Each structure stands twice: as structure tokens, then as C-alpha cells.
Amino acid sequence: MPGSLRIGKIWGIDIAFHVSWLIIAVLLSWTLETGWFSVNYPGWSVGAYWSVSILATLLLFLSVFLHELAHALVARARGLHVKSITLFIFGGVSNIEQEPPAPDIEFQMALVGPLTSLALGGLCGLLLLVIGSKTSPVGAILGYLALTNIFLGIFNLVPGFPLDGGRVLHSIIWKLRGNVHVATRIATRVGQFFAYLFIFFGLMSFFRGAYLNGLWIGFIGWFLLMGAVSANNQSMLETMFKGVHVDDVMNRGPATVPANISLQKLVDDFLLPHGWRSAFVMQVDELVGLITLSDIRHIPRAQWAQTPVGFVMIPLARLHTVTAEQSLNDVLPLMVGQDLNQLPVVQEGHLLGSINREDIMRFVEIKRSLGLDQVNA
Ligand SMILES: [Zn+2]
């Protein structure tokens, strides 16, 4: 995630925090100092209020981290690869590279987060009872952590994507109905309902004069709504491309040029007359690279006549290639993630064709026109 700072590694998982968290940390410490500890625990020194506020903020940060770590460790114990945990404005995100392969695994992975928060809250509450001095600085911090962790646990159980509760609901429907896409559709609808509920209460509070709370609740609702919509879109695309292979949508006659011609000849005889923006470069009948307009632009025009295409092209070793048998659901994340417009389809060094975004869009358009894009719920 851009704007993240790495702070270390635990059990092979990168731990980072997003710069936005620093702003929240300052705001939260300040809010706690002025609006919580000095109001609820009168009679301390200014220094005590600030120390307690900063310490409480850091411990809350640690609580959120433990919540995320619980998700990550369960995911890893179930065989999923966890790359990193990033802490940011709302809490944290675990960068788990695969979707859970079965509903039971998703259920365990999602539920362990809120359970961790509730357990931490319970533990802090218990410690508070043990030490008995509710008005001391230590008691004040324990009380605050008990409240916030229990709130975090309950809030995360709200069944709205992308909250943990939404994933728990998703896994239960998945188990009952046996179809992950149907589960996504139902769970995201429930998620949207809760999102609108948050937005509605946010607006109500705002117009009743609780401006900041209203905005905050409304903002959470909007965030949930975006999460639900994007999860649903993703699932619809996956359904549409289920069982579709590269072979079904690839262009069998992609633009090719020989490696030994000059850039001048490439421009005059191939790119300009055909309107091509790129071409695969061939040596006899083997694919050796790709040449695009931006590669040519880097070479001064005076040198075009003497420079062979093979010198300027992106060599095969630096290209992503796919095979005809690959599923489109595997290829699309690569194209979107790396922002690639087209990929060569290769078999034992031979170019079978190319797959590009326009062909995929056309495929989607035809399916949609024929009404073949509906999920059977
Ligand atoms: Zn969580």
C-alpha cells in the first residue's frame, strides 16, 4: 500500500503502518486528553493526562494490531499466504494473497478477529477488577481499553462487507447454499442494508446537531457501502469468467514484426499503415519480445534507420506470458494488478495469439447482450 512504513517482521509477516495512522494517533491522543481522561478522572496534573492519553493511544494501536495478527495467523495455519499487515486509519488490513478456499476456513479466519478484541476487552476489564483502583492512571487506561476493545469486537461483528461480521455471514451462506457467488450476492446485499442504516443514522445525528458524530457514522456507512459494491462487482466478474479460458477470448492473429528490421521500416511499413500501437517481435517463428510506441519514442529519430527492432524491444524474459489453457479468472488479476493491456499467449516458445483488454471487454459485452451474465441465485 503506498504511504506505508515498514516497522518490522513477525513470523515472516511484514508489519507496516500507514502514514494516515500518525494523524489519527495525534488526534486521538488529543481527544483523549481533552475529552475523556480530564473529564472522567478529575484532579490529575496536565503531564499525567498527556502521558496516560498517549499510552492509551499506543495500547489501542497494539490491540488493533493483535486483532489483525489473529486473522493473519489463522489464515496462515490454514495454508494461505499472508504477506503483510498494514495498520491504517480505521484499524488494519491483513494482506492475505488468496481468498479462503472453503467456507469453514473463511468462518474461522473472520471470527477470530472480533473474538480477539472481545477477549482483550474482557482481560482489561478483569485486570481492572483485580487492581481495584478505578481512578488511578493504570485503572483509567485499563477501563478505556476494556471499553474500546469490546466496542471494536461488537462493531466488527456487524454483518456488513468488508467487516468481519460480513465475512462470517458470507461463510455461513456459502456453507448452506454451496455456492460462493450466491453467498457473495446475498452477503453484499445485507452489507448494503447495514451501510444505508449507518448513513441514515449519521444524517439523523447530523441534523439533530451532533455534527461530528453524524459525519463519522455517515462516513463509516459510506465506507461499508463501497466495500459491499466492490465485493459484489468482483464476484460478478468471476462468475462471468468461470470456465472461460484464454483460448476462448484470445486474438489468433496478433500483430507481429521481424526482429531484424529497422525502426524506420517498422514505423513506415507496419505501425502507420495498420494503425498498430505495439507488435510482437519474432525471430523466424519464435517470439523474442514486444515493441511499443513508447519504446520507439525513446530513440532519437535520426537513429531510426540504423537501429534494429531487436535492440529496442522489451525482451521476452521481461514479458508476462500466459498459456491457452489458463483460466481467465487467473489471468485477469495479473492484467489489472500490473496494468497490462495485452499478454502474449505462448506454447513452447511459439506465439499462439494475444489476449488484450478490448477482446475481454467485447466478450463481456456479447455475454451481457445475450443475457448470459446473470447469476442463478
Ligand atoms: Zn477483523
Side-chain angles (χ1 to χ4, degrees):
M1 190 184 298
S4 316
L5 302 170
R6 229 193 100 185
I7 46 177
K9 207 171 187 146
I10 294 182
W11 295 309
I13 302 169
D14 276 330
I15 313 298
F17 72 90
H18 192 256
V19 284
S20 65
W21 189 83
L22 281 175
I23 303 162
I24 294 299
V26 172
L27 274 176
L28 183 62
S29 301
W30 179 65
T31 314
L32 286 178
E33 198 274 332
T34 54
W36 180 259
F37 291 116
S38 57
V39 172
N40 294 320
Y41 305 90
W44 300 350
S45 68
V46 174
Y49 285 127
W50 273 110
S51 322
V52 163
S53 301
I54 293 168
L55 198 60
T57 300
L58 292 176
L59 287 170
L60 179 64
F61 183 54
L62 184 68
S63 308
V64 170
F65 169 68
L66 291 173
H67 171 120
E68 277 318 304
L69 190 65
H71 285 306
L73 290 180
V74 169
R76 219 174 53 169
R78 296 289 171 267
L80 296 162
H81 184 234
V82 183
K83 222 178 133 198
S84 62
I85 294 177
T86 305
L87 294 149
F88 80 126
I89 217 162
F90 277 110
V93 243
S94 300
N95 185 356
I96 300 168
E97 288 186 321
Q98 300 134 288
E99 287 293 311
D104 312 58
I105 296 175
E106 181 178 48
F107 180 80
Q108 295 162 8
M109 267 168 63
L111 194 62
V112 74
L115 288 185
T116 303
S117 294
L118 291 174
L120 282 171
L123 187 72
C124 291
L126 212 65
L127 282 174
L128 185 60
L129 285 181
V130 171
I131 66 160
S133 66
K134 285 192 176 130
T135 51
S136 69
V138 176
I141 292 177
L142 284 174
Y144 173 74
L145 288 175
L147 276 178
T148 45
N149 272 299
I150 288 170
F151 170 79
L152 271 178
I154 294 172
F155 173 71
N156 271 291
L157 282 173
V158 170
F161 256 64
L163 294 178
D164 299 329
R167 295 184 196 279
V168 169
L169 178 71
H170 181 260
S171 70
I172 294 171
I173 304 169
W174 184 6
K175 181 89 177 172
L176 292 177
R177 299 288 293 267
N179 181 326
V180 66
H181 297 295
V182 171
T184 305
R185 218 168 68 155
I186 298 172
T188 51
R189 274 193 197 155
V190 176
Q192 286 178 27
F193 170 77
F194 279 99
Y196 283 120
L197 211 61
F198 271 99
I199 293 173
F200 175 74
F201 278 112
L203 287 174
M204 290 262 290
S205 312
F206 185 83
F207 287 115
R208 281 184 176 172
Y211 301 115
L212 202 62
N213 272 340
L215 279 177
W216 192 234
I217 298 169
F219 185 54
I220 290 172
W222 175 81
F223 173 74
L224 292 181
L225 192 61
M226 293 301 110
V229 168
S230 101
N232 196 31
N233 286 347
Q234 165 106 14
S235 161
M236 270 164 65
L237 276 180
E238 276 175 14
T239 316
M240 199 177 295
F241 293 130
K242 199 178 170 197
V244 180
H245 298 97
V246 168
D247 200 27
D248 302 318
V249 289
M250 74 177 186
N251 170 11
R252 281 158 208 283
T256 61
V257 294
N260 57 3
I261 61 167
S262 69
L263 288 184
Q264 191 67 55
K265 194 170 166 60
L266 170 75
V267 171
D268 292 342
D269 295 1
F270 293 92
L271 301 187
L272 286 177
H274 296 104
W276 294 346
R277 303 184 64 82
S278 65
F280 291 111
V281 183
M282 309 295 288
Q283 206 148 40
V284 195
D285 62 348
E286 277 199 9
L287 175 70
V288 290
L290 174 76
I291 184 100
T292 69
L293 291 185
S294 64
D295 304 319
I296 304 168
R297 269 201 297 267
H298 289 139
I299 307 296
R301 189 170 294 188
Q303 294 171 23
W304 283 9
Q306 298 88 39
T307 313
V309 167
F311 271 53
V312 186
M313 68 180 188
I314 308 164
L316 181 61
R318 278 176 43 212
L319 292 180
H320 289 277
T321 64
V322 293
T323 63
E325 300 82 39
Q326 264 183 287
S327 152
L328 219 53
N329 273 330
D330 295 334
V331 173
L332 271 178
L334 178 72
M335 296 184 85
V336 175
Q338 309 259 349
D339 196 27
L340 301 168
N341 257 319
Q342 64 169 352
L343 290 169
V345 185
V346 175
Q347 192 165 37
E348 288 160 6
H350 296 287
L351 183 68
L352 296 183
S354 71
I355 180 162
N356 60 55
R357 288 190 180 188
E358 289 74 40
D359 294 331
I360 297 171
M361 292 306 289
R362 204 170 304 129
F363 179 85
V364 170
E365 224 15 76
I366 292 172
K367 264 202 150 180
R368 186 168 289 165
S369 310
L370 296 172
L372 298 173
D373 58 335
Q374 302 299 318
V375 187
N376 302 311

